[in-house]
Amino acid sequence: MIEKYSIKELLEKGKKFLNKKVLVEGWIRSFRNSIFITLNDGSTIKNLQIILSKNLEKEFLKKITIGSSIKVIGIIIESLGKKQSIELKSLDIKIYGEVNQKSFQKTILQPKKHSLETLRKQAHLRFRTNIFSSIMRVRHHVAFSIHKYFHEHGFFYINTPILTTLNAEGAGKMFQVTTMDLKNIPHIRENVDYTKDFFQCKTYLSVSGQLEAETASLALGKVYTFGPAFRAENSNTSRHLSEFWMIEPEMAFYHLEENMDRAEDFLKFVIRDTIENCTEDLSFLKDHIKKWNQKQKSTLLERLELILKFPFQRISYTEVINFLEKSIQKKMVKFNHPVIWGMDLQSEHEQYLVKKCFQCPVIVFDYPSCLKAFYMRINNDGKTVRAMDILFPEIGEIIGGSQREERYDILLKRIKDKNIDDRKLWWYLDTRRFGSVPHSGFGLGFDRLVQFITGMKNIRDVIPFPRTPHNAEF
Amino acid sequence: MIEKYSIKELLEKGKKFLNKKVLVEGWIRSFRNSIFITLNDGSTIKNLQIILSKNLEKEFLKKITIGSSIKVIGIIIESLGKKQSIELKSLDIKIYGEVNQKSFQKTILQPKKHSLETLRKQAHLRFRTNIFSSIMRVRHHVAFSIHKYFHEHGFFYINTPILTTLNAEGAGKMFQVTTMDLKNIPHIRENVDYTKDFFQCKTYLSVSGQLEAETASLALGKVYTFGPAFRAENSNTSRHLSEFWMIEPEMAFYHLEENMDRAEDFLKFVIRDTIENCTEDLSFLKDHIKKWNQKQKSTLLERLELILKFPFQRISYTEVINFLEKSIQKKMVKFNHPVIWGMDLQSEHEQYLVKKCFQCPVIVFDYPSCLKAFYMRINNDGKTVRAMDILFPEIGEIIGGSQREERYDILLKRIKDKNIDDRKLWWYLDTRRFGSVPHSGFGLGFDRLVQFITGMKNIRDVIPFPRTPHNAEF
């Protein structure tokens, strides 16, 4: 039997295969002079050139068109062209699937420039474009790097529940989940009768697995989640999805400083590992982005390497406010939003810090407690909490984290102060009653990280089938 | 600064640390003679023995109780006991969190035997028990093995959508997702007005990412999903969850035989890798299971090794029926369910094949088309489809897969024959119009695989916070 190889394998090992008989399968990307086929099988951005024998019948040659799928058995020979080191001299060719020419003209498989918006409308076919297949391969590698990092550092992967009765965190609007017939909702007096629902109570799609992950870390030491999260916000931006993937590590015995160290080390590892292993795809994306946006000063790779180059700048929220105020006084900068202690940092402030002042990622910590969630550990000043946000160039906040409040009484007070029903959090509070320890964690939007690494402007272009308001097709 | 180590690291490298000063943190598992503490930090099933200095005050010693959390700085010394090779001579001890003694008596942290049912009711604390922490570490390793296997074999990880408008597959009852106020559902005449819903149409939680994964494989070659899936079946069994994690690989250019090869190789890799890397936890689980169930003939490890020992037995559905009929005729076996061609194989038939006849996993293929989904490739006999199920001892079907129907006309006919709305599947059909290729894939319930590997009787004991009918707490 003749062995089957991926195009990636053949091109990488190149001359090792010289004069060998091999089998390849893929989709035709181009066909010239009735003799040269370029073939892609998805394993790499690169194509394999195939040279057909000259004795093929005309009727058969007509079927060899862009987009159709073939199997080729042939001999690997040295290439005379400069583009590739090897090519495949065909001995036998079989067509698996032809292309309906008329419909084909309307698809994005048609070899001409299509906008990213057009690609999105044919999300089921865009895997076959260079740009989207590159992004998907990079996305895969980023995911694998993340698992590798945590595995090698003694973290355990935890699946926290997606279906939840908690609506406590206030992290955004939630989707409700039900098995009741919406045409005929059962009522008790004026209220919905949730005893008739699947879980016998009001149930949502989780916006975060953090609270559950904390309970796991308070026994296993270090854990992380990597799963989908859902926000029902009606916001149509280039940075938000209604369904997205999130990574949430939680570490027992970590104070905020160790949390920052971990988050920085983690981001650098993943970016470095991806640069090293996705050279071809990142280089393709770099060129592609250049074509779209001539204004971009640094290239994609330069931007990624900047992340690795220096320690991230660490600065407290209060220092940031002082710093911004001084910059305004000295007329070094003007902002649209006024700078006042207690305000949320706006994108213009963040980008001023990251791009103008420090020219590297910035970690802002010790935020005012009023801006942050109930579970963040309160500082001795009574005003700030042990929160930290990591700010990146262009995209802003890439990571948000904190040291968690481990003191039972203070946590309970914070929950009540924020008007959250503490009865639903009995189990969360419970973990602070039996050997509580200082602990920390952070959250990272996976799609946003892939967006940063691939340099895509719109987050819908880095996930296979994006879900956004009014859009759940495919 | 004194370096911090996990207990796993200290015990594994053992004597390398002799006479070194180290810092450890964890939760107290036992305290004897006012001097010996056994400490666990979740990194391993094993504990570290700590020897306190004798000059500690009585008031302080009172606080050292089972369940409380401590930090210890000390010197690693050789152990005189036989249980461990090293122990820690404490120089300095700090208590992080004490234990509320009265409440503690009611928790599963109390050191006595608790049933698995009791542990489930305190799911937030069961991470701190030996049994559940073992299962969680094994679960982590199985997940990592899965990613490693696919990564090393050229598969790309794909996130298929969880929110879907598809209700086509008929794979089970689905949860509906909405942002409409159930108290006040908008209507148009007698129907729900879905234009007012978040996605402007009826939306569900996906039961499978297969169809979307297929579209990705028909461009990238080999892909896999690993994410949550949801079934709203009202079934309270030891094998079903309403929310579970699923792995679905899809491979372009694979016929059914290659699909079977891949699935078998995959299962064997993951089980072998887990045996090799989770020795201590599996050995603990083996002993634990023995205590509960004296009847079990083979141990956990023997059962796992049986999977690796032989090639899986491959037999067609029609051969299975003939075989079962002959066994009945020869009075070798009696079944409760009659054996007729066209019936679904019942658990008793499956276990007879696996445990009695072949004594190894069995792959049954070429099932009657009436039993299987529309997307499975129809055979030339017109009666059977290229489906395959892998049957394991005890748990039955561990993997279900098939070669997918790649022929447009036949696929369309099958969709219509099954009364599925083909307009919703326009994009799926589309992939068969532009360079269609033979392709295959399979699905695997992650939790059920973990259940098999850990030997747990109930699937609720292998996932952190199980979701089942009427139960979505935590």
Side-chain angles (χ1 to χ4, degrees):
Chain A
M1 223 183 95
I2 300 147
E3 260 201 272
K4 183 157 117 180
Y5 292 95
S6 73
I7 291 176
K8 179 185 164 79
E9 222 174 336
L10 289 176
L11 294 180
E12 273 181 0
K13 297 186 183 157
K15 305 211 164 162
K16 205 196 116 192
F17 284 102
L18 276 185
N19 305 318
K20 277 205 179 159
K21 201 173 187 178
V22 301
L23 190 163
V24 293
E25 293 164 317
W27 292 270
I28 295 173
R29 285 291 173 89
S30 75
F31 185 39
R32 293 182 291 119
N33 306 342
S34 300
I35 199 164
F36 298 110
I37 289 175
T38 52
L39 193 71
N40 188 281
D41 67 357
S43 64
T44 160
I45 183 83
K46 293 195 172 166
N47 302 320
L48 180 68
Q49 173 144 295
I50 290 163
I51 301 156
L52 294 183
S53 51
K54 283 177 187 160
N55 56 3
L56 294 171
E57 282 178 29
K58 269 199 177 170
E59 276 312 299
F60 184 81
L61 285 176
K62 269 190 199 161
K63 295 180 184 171
I64 300 181
T65 60
I66 294 176
S68 55
S69 51
I70 55 171
K71 168 166 106 172
V72 184
I73 291 171
I75 306 280
I76 294 287
I77 57 169
E78 204 154 353
S79 175
L80 299 175
K82 278 185 182 170
K83 273 190 177 171
Q84 60 274 323
S85 66
I86 57 160
E87 50 199 35
L88 186 70
K89 193 165 170 293
S90 163
L91 299 173
D92 189 21
I93 174 168
K94 182 189 165 180
I95 296 174
Y96 282 127
E98 294 177 51
V99 153
N100 176 322
Q101 283 306 325
K102 211 176 133 196
S103 318
F104 187 72
Q105 303 302 321
K106 295 175 206 150
T107 72
I108 54 167
L109 299 175
Q110 174 74 343
K112 59 170 194 182
K113 276 277 163 233
H114 305 280
S115 74
L116 290 169
E117 288 76 14
T118 311
L119 296 197
R120 262 174 245 150
K121 285 177 194 148
Q122 296 180 33
H124 60 306
L125 296 178
R126 66 176 172 167
F127 295 105
R128 277 169 70 180
T129 62
N130 277 330
I131 178 97
F132 199 69
S133 68
S134 263
I135 294 166
M136 284 300 104
R137 282 185 295 267
V138 173
R139 184 177 168 106
H140 160 76
H141 202 91
V142 176
F144 188 70
S145 273
I146 290 168
H147 285 295
K148 193 164 67 172
Y149 178 84
F150 287 124
H151 181 71
E152 287 173 0
H153 288 82
F155 286 69
F156 301 111
Y157 178 51
I158 288 287
N159 295 126
T160 50
I162 315 290
L163 298 170
T164 180
T165 57
L166 280 188
N167 189 11
E169 215 201 324
K173 255 195 105 184
M174 295 174 90
F175 289 102
Q176 192 175 346
V177 175
T178 183
T179 53
M180 297 191 291
D181 179 4
L182 298 202
K183 266 195 205 172
N184 198 5
I185 294 282
H187 282 79
I188 292 186
R189 282 171 213 155
E190 268 130 62
N191 293 315
V192 176
D193 180 6
Y194 280 110
T195 63
K196 301 288 194 300
D197 208 352
F198 190 85
F199 293 110
Q200 298 191 330
C201 56
K202 205 171 176 181
T203 319
Y204 307 90
L205 289 179
S206 177
V207 294
S208 159
Q210 181 204 312
L211 303 190
E212 287 94 349
E214 271 187 59
T215 70
S217 81
L218 293 173
L220 297 167
K222 289 179 285 186
V223 303
Y224 72 107
T225 71
F226 190 159
F230 304 85
R231 298 209 181 156
E233 298 296 339
N234 202 349
S235 62
N236 260 302
T237 83
S238 61
R239 293 178 61 212
H240 292 89
L241 293 166
S242 309
E243 172 183 323
F244 56 101
W245 286 70
M246 203 152 59
I247 297 122
E248 298 184 290
E250 288 292 328
M251 294 79 70
F253 309 108
Y254 269 46
H255 295 84
L256 189 67
E257 289 69 24
E258 292 155 306
N259 198 21
M260 294 194 246
D261 293 345
R262 177 60 69 201
E264 180 172 344
D265 188 54
F266 163 74
L267 283 172
K268 285 179 169 170
F269 174 89
V270 172
I271 291 174
R272 191 181 303 114
D273 197 54
T274 307
I275 292 176
E276 281 168 12
N277 287 284
C278 301
T279 326
E280 288 170 359
D281 286 315
L282 287 177
S283 148
F284 171 81
L285 289 168
K286 183 194 75 183
D287 295 344
H288 202 88
I289 288 161
K290 208 187 271 169
K291 280 179 204 155
W292 286 330
N293 187 354
Q294 300 289 356
K295 280 183 202 163
Q296 202 92 17
K297 274 180 199 159
S298 58
T299 69
L300 180 61
L301 279 173
E302 281 165 6
R303 218 180 62 181
L304 294 179
E305 270 151 15
L306 184 70
I307 306 292
L308 308 178
K309 221 167 173 177
F310 306 106
F312 294 180
Q313 178 69 41
R314 300 183 186 189
I315 178 169
S316 78
Y317 172 89
T318 303
E319 286 169 326
V320 165
I321 296 296
N322 289 339
F323 182 84
L324 294 179
E325 278 172 347
K326 271 183 201 157
S327 302
I328 296 169
Q329 279 165 18
K330 287 184 190 164
K331 307 217 161 150
M332 292 163 71
V333 64
K334 271 187 183 176
F335 295 119
N336 294 321
H337 299 82
V339 172
I340 313 152
W341 197 98
M343 67 157 196
D344 235 337
L345 293 182
Q346 301 297 319
S347 180
E348 55 175 347
H349 308 132
E350 295 179 349
Q351 290 308 313
Y352 176 70
L353 292 173
V354 174
K355 288 167 84 172
K356 289 275 162 64
C357 308
F358 300 113
Q359 300 183 339
C360 75
V362 174
I363 312 184
V364 181
F365 60 91
D366 284 351
Y367 279 81
S369 64
C370 55
L371 295 178
K372 296 288 182 182
F374 72 87
Y375 49 71
M376 299 195 180
R377 192 180 203 274
I378 199 129
N379 279 311
N380 289 337
D381 62 14
K383 291 191 307 181
T384 59
V385 287
R386 300 247 72 192
M388 64 114 177
D389 284 355
I390 302 188
L391 310 177
F392 262 25
E394 313 293 346
I395 57 165
E397 184 198 320
I398 185 97
I399 274 182
S402 74
Q403 183 169 337
R404 315 309 188 188
E405 183 57 77
E406 87 279 16
R407 296 162 296 185
Y408 179 84
D409 295 336
I410 297 174
L411 181 61
L412 183 60
K413 187 174 178 305
R414 291 266 292 158
I415 289 174
K416 288 187 171 166
D417 284 352
K418 297 238 174 191
N419 286 319
I420 298 166
D421 183 359
D422 59 296
R423 286 167 306 176
K424 280 209 167 174
L425 289 173
W426 68 272
W427 51 273
Y428 183 69
L429 280 157
D430 230 17
T431 56
R432 273 64 172 175
R433 299 169 74 208
F434 308 111
S436 189
V437 300
H439 63 288
S440 299
F442 59 87
L444 168 85
F446 176 58
D447 314 280
R448 213 172 271 179
L449 178 61
V450 176
Q451 193 186 355
F452 178 77
I453 292 178
T454 57
M456 287 291 107
K457 289 263 174 294
N458 196 317
I459 200 162
R460 296 168 206 208
D461 296 325
V462 304
I463 188 166
F465 299 97
R467 267 60 180 121
T468 51
H470 307 174
N471 177 29
E473 196 165 29
F474 306 104
Chain B
M1 222 182 96
I2 301 148
E3 261 202 271
K4 182 157 117 178
Y5 291 96
S6 73
I7 291 177
K8 179 184 163 79
E9 222 175 335
L10 290 177
L11 293 180
E12 273 181 1
K13 298 188 182 155
K15 304 211 164 163
K16 205 197 116 191
F17 284 101
L18 277 185
N19 305 318
K20 277 206 180 160
K21 200 174 187 177
V22 300
L23 189 162
V24 294
E25 293 164 317
W27 292 270
I28 295 173
R29 285 291 173 90
S30 75
F31 186 39
R32 294 182 291 117
N33 305 344
S34 300
I35 198 162
F36 298 111
I37 289 175
T38 54
L39 194 70
N40 188 280
D41 67 358
S43 64
T44 161
I45 183 81
K46 292 194 173 167
N47 302 320
L48 180 67
Q49 173 145 294
I50 290 163
I51 301 155
L52 295 183
S53 52
K54 284 176 186 159
N55 56 3
L56 292 172
E57 283 179 27
K58 269 198 178 169
E59 275 312 298
F60 184 80
L61 285 176
K62 269 190 199 162
K63 294 181 185 172
I64 300 180
T65 60
I66 294 178
S68 56
S69 51
I70 55 171
K71 169 165 105 170
V72 183
I73 291 171
I75 306 281
I76 294 287
I77 56 168
E78 204 154 354
S79 176
L80 299 174
K82 277 185 182 172
K83 272 189 176 171
Q84 60 273 323
S85 66
I86 55 159
E87 49 198 36
L88 185 69
K89 193 165 171 293
S90 163
L91 299 173
D92 189 23
I93 174 168
K94 182 187 165 183
I95 295 173
Y96 282 127
E98 295 178 50
V99 152
N100 177 322
Q101 283 305 325
K102 210 175 135 196
S103 317
F104 187 72
Q105 303 302 320
K106 294 175 206 151
T107 73
I108 54 167
L109 299 175
Q110 173 75 342
K112 59 171 194 180
K113 277 275 162 233
H114 306 279
S115 73
L116 290 169
E117 289 76 14
T118 311
L119 296 197
R120 263 174 245 150
K121 285 178 195 148
Q122 297 180 33
H124 61 305
L125 296 179
R126 67 177 172 166
F127 295 105
R128 278 169 70 180
T129 62
N130 277 331
I131 178 97
F132 199 69
S133 68
S134 262
I135 294 166
M136 284 299 104
R137 282 186 295 267
V138 173
R139 185 178 168 105
H140 160 77
H141 202 91
V142 176
F144 188 70
S145 273
I146 290 168
H147 285 295
K148 192 164 68 172
Y149 178 84
F150 287 124
H151 180 72
E152 287 173 1
H153 288 82
F155 285 68
F156 301 110
Y157 178 51
I158 289 286
N159 295 126
T160 50
I162 315 289
L163 298 170
T164 179
T165 57
L166 280 187
N167 188 11
E169 216 201 322
K173 256 194 104 184
M174 294 174 90
F175 288 102
Q176 191 175 345
V177 175
T178 183
T179 52
M180 296 190 292
D181 180 3
L182 298 201
K183 267 195 205 170
N184 197 6
I185 294 283
H187 282 77
I188 293 186
R189 281 170 213 156
E190 268 130 61
N191 293 316
V192 175
D193 180 5
Y194 280 110
T195 63
K196 300 287 192 301
D197 208 352
F198 190 85
F199 293 110
Q200 298 191 330
C201 56
K202 204 169 176 182
T203 319
Y204 307 91
L205 290 180
S206 177
V207 293
S208 160
Q210 180 203 311
L211 303 190
E212 288 93 349
E214 272 187 59
T215 70
S217 82
L218 293 173
L220 297 167
K222 288 178 285 184
V223 303
Y224 72 107
T225 71
F226 190 158
F230 304 85
R231 298 208 181 157
E233 298 296 338
N234 202 348
S235 62
N236 261 301
T237 83
S238 61
R239 293 178 60 213
H240 292 90
L241 293 166
S242 309
E243 172 183 323
F244 57 101
W245 286 70
M246 201 151 61
I247 297 122
E248 298 184 290
E250 287 292 327
M251 296 78 70
F253 310 107
Y254 270 46
H255 295 84
L256 189 67
E257 289 71 23
E258 291 155 309
N259 198 22
M260 293 194 245
D261 293 345
R262 177 60 69 201
E264 181 173 344
D265 189 55
F266 163 75
L267 283 172
K268 284 178 170 171
F269 174 89
V270 171
I271 291 174
R272 192 180 303 114
D273 197 55
T274 306
I275 292 176
E276 281 167 12
N277 287 283
C278 300
T279 326
E280 289 170 359
D281 285 316
L282 287 178
S283 148
F284 171 82
L285 289 168
K286 183 194 76 182
D287 295 343
H288 202 90
I289 289 161
K290 207 186 271 168
K291 280 178 203 155
W292 286 331
N293 187 354
Q294 300 287 357
K295 281 182 201 163
Q296 203 91 18
K297 273 180 201 160
S298 58
T299 68
L300 179 61
L301 278 172
E302 281 165 5
R303 219 180 62 182
L304 294 179
E305 270 151 15
L306 184 70
I307 306 293
L308 307 178
K309 221 167 175 178
F310 306 106
F312 293 0
Q313 178 69 41
R314 301 183 186 188
I315 178 168
S316 78
Y317 172 90
T318 304
E319 286 170 324
V320 165
I321 296 296
N322 290 338
F323 183 85
L324 294 179
E325 278 172 346
K326 272 183 200 155
S327 302
I328 296 169
Q329 279 165 18
K330 288 184 189 164
K331 308 219 161 147
M332 291 163 71
V333 64
K334 271 187 183 176
F335 294 119
N336 295 322
H337 299 84
V339 172
I340 313 152
W341 196 98
M343 67 158 195
D344 234 337
L345 293 182
Q346 301 298 318
S347 180
E348 55 174 348
H349 307 132
E350 295 180 349
Q351 290 307 314
Y352 176 70
L353 293 173
V354 174
K355 288 167 83 174
K356 288 275 164 62
C357 307
F358 300 113
Q359 301 185 338
C360 74
V362 175
I363 312 185
V364 180
F365 60 92
D366 285 350
Y367 279 81
S369 63
C370 57
L371 294 178
K372 296 289 182 180
F374 72 88
Y375 49 72
M376 300 197 180
R377 193 181 202 273
I378 198 129
N379 279 312
N380 289 339
D381 63 14
K383 292 192 305 182
T384 59
V385 288
R386 300 247 75 192
M388 64 116 177
D389 284 356
I390 303 188
L391 311 177
F392 262 27
E394 314 292 348
I395 58 165
E397 184 197 321
I398 184 100
I399 274 183
S402 74
Q403 184 170 335
R404 315 308 188 189
E405 183 57 77
E406 87 279 17
R407 296 161 295 186
Y408 179 84
D409 296 337
I410 298 174
L411 181 61
L412 183 61
K413 187 175 177 307
R414 292 266 291 159
I415 289 173
K416 289 187 169 166
D417 285 353
K418 297 238 173 190
N419 286 319
I420 298 166
D421 183 359
D422 60 298
R423 286 167 305 177
K424 280 208 167 174
L425 289 172
W426 68 272
W427 52 272
Y428 184 69
L429 280 156
D430 230 15
T431 56
R432 273 64 170 173
R433 299 168 75 207
F434 309 112
S436 188
V437 300
H439 63 287
S440 300
F442 60 86
L444 169 85
F446 176 59
D447 313 280
R448 213 172 271 179
L449 178 62
V450 177
Q451 193 186 356
F452 179 76
I453 292 177
T454 56
M456 288 292 107
K457 288 262 172 295
N458 197 317
I459 200 162
R460 297 168 205 207
D461 296 325
V462 304
I463 189 165
F465 300 97
R467 267 61 180 121
T468 50
H470 307 173
N471 177 30
E473 196 164 31
F474 304 107

